[in-house]
Amino acid sequence: MESQIIESKRSGDAWLADLGQPVASRLLAWEQQQADELLADVFGYHAVQLGWPDLQALRSNRMPHRWLAQAEFEPSFTTPNLTPGGLPDVCLDSQAWPWPADSLDLVVLPHALERSADPHACLREVERVLIPEGQVLITGLNPWSWWGWQQARGQQSKVRMDNTSPALIGYRRLRDWLRLLGFEVQVSRFGGWTPVLGSERWMQRLGWMDALGERWWPILGGVYLLIATKRVPGGRLIDGRSWRTVRSTAPATVPAARSETFMGQQPDAKDIVEPR
């Protein structure tokens, strides 16, 4: 983990109370470092971060239009990182985003899926609003780790109190969801292998566990990060009346048609796509 710990005592990370301040600070420091490194060179025009305003995920990115969004699960916060007016740019329902389809270049979801009432619907909305080849960065607490176990234990007590509590999402399960939606995972990283301790001094003494965990059991890290790209296979032809995919039965259909046209000949009838 990063040696410099970011102190965060604002209300935006109250959902991490079960982990304690030392772990919450390390979690924020690690994700901030990863976001600064991975998102600095992601180009485009429109980017959105949904969730956890203490994390300034888009601060190193150079897109001209960047929004900080607040969802229904996020408590109101007074110290946002991207807006000067003390309020988020957008308040939305995570199951119905206000942006049109194919309009965003980058979406960042720091622990947004695991705190959403319907993470599947939220992820489907991300797929809808991203442009082809658009990217999404997702972070989550690993349920198969010290940190995830402690967080899930605290959530179970909340279930007994109010009968509502989101569940942590495993790394492999999230990869399966992304693949079904047509995303290709390009970056996977883990961090945080120390136990959950309330003492900063003891957390520093056990820092050696991070080096061992990163080398020998990375899948057991307390937090994971994924970057996936939206893939849109095939091409589309507009004939004025309908959308349909054009697939050629001959591997050299287009080059052959071009060569015949240049020689003053008409293309073969089988190479002509008739409108419906």
Side-chain angles (χ1 to χ4, degrees):
M1 298 292 287
E2 189 182 24
S3 58
Q4 181 181 4
I5 304 301
I6 301 176
E7 292 294 335
S8 178
K9 298 180 181 180
R10 293 170 288 184
S11 61
D13 62 353
W15 59 279
L16 293 173
D18 295 318
L19 295 179
Q21 188 59 42
V23 175
S25 297
R26 278 167 167 75
L27 180 67
L28 178 59
W30 185 84
E31 294 192 18
Q32 188 67 69
Q33 180 186 22
Q34 299 300 318
D36 290 343
E37 174 187 345
L38 296 171
L39 301 182
D41 296 327
V42 177
F43 297 101
Y45 297 95
H46 306 94
V48 172
Q49 174 184 336
L50 174 64
W52 202 13
D54 287 345
L55 175 66
Q56 303 179 52
L58 299 175
R59 72 180 184 181
S60 66
N61 189 267
R62 290 168 285 179
M63 294 188 189
H65 305 289
R66 294 171 294 171
W67 294 285
L68 178 61
Q70 173 184 337
E72 74 281 356
F73 55 78
E74 196 79 38
S76 58
F77 51 88
T78 59
T79 56
N81 300 303
L82 299 181
T83 57
L87 293 173
D89 296 291
V90 181
C91 296
L92 54 82
D93 181 352
S94 63
Q95 304 176 40
W97 291 36
W99 289 276
D102 302 333
S103 60
L104 300 180
D105 300 279
L106 173 65
V107 172
V108 182
L109 301 175
H111 304 278
L113 294 180
E114 65 193 28
R115 302 176 62 203
S116 174
D118 192 341
H120 298 87
C122 181
L123 203 56
R124 286 194 296 269
E125 280 295 281
V126 172
E127 189 277 335
R128 181 185 66 83
V129 300
L130 277 176
I131 67 170
E133 303 302 316
Q135 295 185 339
V136 56
L137 184 150
I138 304 173
T139 64
L141 290 172
N142 184 6
W144 304 103
S145 68
W146 291 106
W147 296 6
W149 178 82
Q150 182 68 24
Q151 183 73 358
R153 181 183 179 185
Q155 288 181 353
Q156 289 177 358
S157 63
K158 295 174 184 178
V159 170
R160 290 192 294 267
M161 294 176 60
D162 56 15
N163 295 324
T164 59
S165 180
L168 299 183
I169 302 172
Y171 165 77
R172 297 188 182 279
R173 177 179 296 181
L174 180 58
R175 286 185 65 104
D176 291 340
W177 291 358
L178 290 169
R179 185 173 63 251
L180 290 174
L181 289 173
F183 284 92
E184 178 183 352
V185 176
Q186 296 181 308
V187 177
S188 298
R189 295 183 180 180
F190 290 83
W193 290 267
T194 57
V196 178
L197 300 174
S199 171
E200 177 63 32
R201 180 183 301 177
W202 279 104
M203 292 290 292
Q204 293 179 359
R205 290 183 178 180
L206 295 178
W208 55 269
M209 297 184 65
D210 287 330
L212 289 180
E214 186 175 5
R215 180 175 181 180
W216 296 108
W217 51 84
I219 195 67
L220 299 181
V223 57
Y224 61 82
L225 177 148
L226 292 174
I227 293 184
T229 301
K230 176 182 174 180
R231 302 299 189 190
V232 181
R236 295 287 182 176
L237 176 66
I238 305 178
D239 59 8
R241 288 173 292 180
S242 64
W243 286 80
R244 58 194 178 95
T245 302
V246 179
R247 297 184 175 86
S248 174
T249 57
T253 299
V254 174
R258 287 180 177 176
S259 62
E260 291 172 358
T261 303
F262 284 128
M263 295 297 293
Q265 302 178 5
Q266 296 296 327
D268 197 309
K270 66 180 181 181
D271 296 328
I272 300 178
V273 180
E274 294 291 344
R276 294 182 178 179

